[in-house]
Amino acid sequence: MQTEKKDIRAVSKEDLREFFVTSGDKAFRGNQVYEWLWSKGAHSFEDMTNISKETRAMLEQNFVINHIKVDAMQRSEDGTVKNAVRLHDGLVVESVLIPTNTRTTACVSSQVGCSLDCNFCATARLKRMRNLEPAEIYDQVIAIDKESRLYHNHPLSNIVFMGMGEPLMNYNNVLKAIEMITSEEGLGMSPKRIMVSTSGVPKMIKKLADDDVKFKLAVSLHSAIDEVRARIMPFSANFPLADLRESLEYWYRKTKSKISYEYVVWKGINDNKEAIDALVKFCKYVPCKVNLIEYNPIDDGEFQQASEEATNAYIKALEASGIVVKVRRSRGKDIDAACGQLANKEA
């Protein structure tokens, strides 16, 4: 029975060097292959043109490159690009390119489906199939960078982990992907241009702080009242706001990095004075900014965009308390380019 070949991008540079030494070749050959895999984004061993045919054949015998494929691409009138990304096992995730006048942002997925149960989110209706590997996350970024250069004439400038899945439920792979994205051996992107958005898992937020990460953190808050938040995001009943607050205070003490709160105002759910006052109070615990996000309804159910008056009431109250607030309009409406539910966000 033939053993399944290992994805070569799951092999470290040191192990690649060792592989070549034990195969009777020079260690530097591992460096060459590693560069092809990450810096040059090779899709196959045949792409590695400065390596002999015999060596490429030997690699083919021992490894595979489980590269993603952009199965379908839709372009919006506003320049947004939505990708249906097919993985090596046939599963599909989404990624989105979001342009503005000054930059382009990649919204990437970290899981196939999602294990959480946010009632407003289309992805939550899909059961979690598996975590994405670091290389599969990295590939989404590479693909969007190419689209940014092709359609907007400049390289990708920002990345947000706001696609399918909860990034902190795929902690190790997400951090490994970011390590490669920010490495000079990868894309060399500044971690300050990367934002990881979480639904709020306190112990994992603390772990991020302990691991001294340099990227930005966003929290999908949507309510600063426990009962209301549990209605919106049922799993959050296990993570009370008091625990979330403590983890965010810990994050700020360790990193000195502001939090971004993602917040959708829904009609009849959190569009009242009590909800506004609760958010203003919560924002005072840790230096932060608030992104009020225009909602893309996924059906005709209870979650519908609140009135402009309700959104303006939030803006007025937050600004009066000295809290930075921005309104993020939905992008790519004509192609339904919701990445998770927060595709309109920029880092």
Side-chain angles (χ1 to χ4, degrees), residues 27-48:
F28 82 87
R29 196 75 66 207
N31 296 359
Q32 287 181 304
V33 172
Y34 196 81
E35 183 182 9
W36 274 110
L37 294 170
W38 295 103
S39 182
K40 296 180 179 179
H43 286 212
S44 73
F45 297 114
E46 285 303 307
D47 292 340
M48 302 178 182

Side-chain angles (χ1 to χ4, degrees), residues 43 73 79 83 127 152-153 186 189 198 230 232:
H43 286 212
M73 184 189 74
N83 294 323
K127 69 175 183 176
H152 299 285
N153 299 314
M189 181 175 281
T198 175
I232 298 166

Side-chain angles (χ1 to χ4, degrees), residues 83-344:
N83 294 323
V85 175
R86 187 167 298 277
L87 310 175
H88 71 95
D89 54 5
L91 296 173
V92 176
V93 295
E94 288 185 358
S95 63
V96 178
L97 165 64
I98 309 153
T100 68
N101 291 332
T102 57
R103 58 185 172 180
T104 50
T105 299
C107 177
V108 298
S109 294
S110 56
Q111 296 179 308
V112 184
C114 188
S115 54
L116 303 183
D117 54 5
C118 302
N119 285 325
F120 62 89
C121 180
T123 303
R125 300 185 177 190
L126 309 172
K127 69 175 183 176
R128 189 186 73 81
M129 305 290 287
R130 68 172 176 86
N131 289 332
L132 292 188
E133 296 297 325
E136 293 173 322
I137 297 169
Y138 185 87
D139 283 350
Q140 293 175 69
V141 176
I142 290 286
I144 291 178
D145 180 54
K146 289 179 180 176
E147 291 167 351
S148 177
R149 293 169 190 269
L150 177 63
Y151 299 123
H152 299 285
N153 299 314
H154 55 81
L156 181 69
S157 56
N158 296 75
I159 301 170
V160 292
F161 282 76
M162 294 186 179
M164 297 171 71
E166 164 55 61
L168 300 193
M169 295 292 192
N170 187 16
Y171 189 93
N172 291 335
N173 288 354
V174 165
L175 262 63
K176 178 63 179 176
I178 292 173
E179 180 186 329
M180 289 310 305
I181 290 165
T182 56
S183 168
E184 289 305 319
E185 295 180 312
L187 295 180
M189 181 175 281
S190 168
K192 297 297 183 185
R193 293 182 171 273
I194 299 173
M195 179 173 282
V196 172
S197 177
T198 175
S199 297
V201 186
K203 70 176 183 178
M204 301 311 292
I205 291 172
K206 288 182 176 180
K207 181 166 173 53
L208 283 176
D210 288 338
D211 286 342
D212 195 28
V213 301
K214 303 302 182 186
F215 51 76
K216 298 177 185 177
L217 182 66
V219 175
S220 292
L221 190 61
H222 307 308
S223 179
I225 301 169
D226 274 312
E227 298 75 18
V228 178
R229 193 163 190 260
R231 174 183 169 189
I232 298 166
M233 311 158 79
F235 77 91
S236 70
N238 298 317
F239 306 116
L241 285 163
D243 293 349
L244 178 60
R245 169 191 170 182
E246 182 198 2
S247 71
L248 295 175
E249 289 172 334
Y250 185 84
W251 159 273
Y252 187 76
R253 281 199 307 273
K254 297 273 282 193
T255 69
K256 295 294 182 276
S257 177
K258 284 186 177 182
I259 306 291
S260 290
Y261 292 125
E262 310 299 334
Y263 200 102
V264 180
V265 186
W266 287 287
K267 183 179 180 181
I269 295 175
N270 59 354
D271 59 349
N272 53 60
K273 187 176 185 304
E274 182 187 11
I276 295 171
D277 291 344
L279 176 60
V280 169
K281 181 180 178 181
F282 196 84
C283 286
K284 292 180 178 178
Y285 296 135
V286 180
C288 66
K289 68 176 183 178
V290 175
N291 294 309
L292 295 177
I293 296 169
E294 185 179 7
Y295 183 62
N296 284 324
I298 56 176
D299 54 29
D300 294 323
E302 65 173 324
F303 289 91
Q304 299 297 321
Q305 176 70 34
S307 67
E308 196 73 24
E309 291 76 16
T311 300
N312 288 337
Y314 267 96
I315 295 169
K316 184 178 179 181
L318 289 164
E319 289 183 341
S321 295
I323 298 159
V324 175
V325 57
K326 292 185 178 180
V327 178
R328 301 295 188 191
R329 300 297 178 188
S330 184
R331 302 295 300 274
K333 287 183 176 181
D334 53 318
I335 57 170
D336 190 28
C339 195
Q341 261 298 334
L342 303 181
N344 45 336

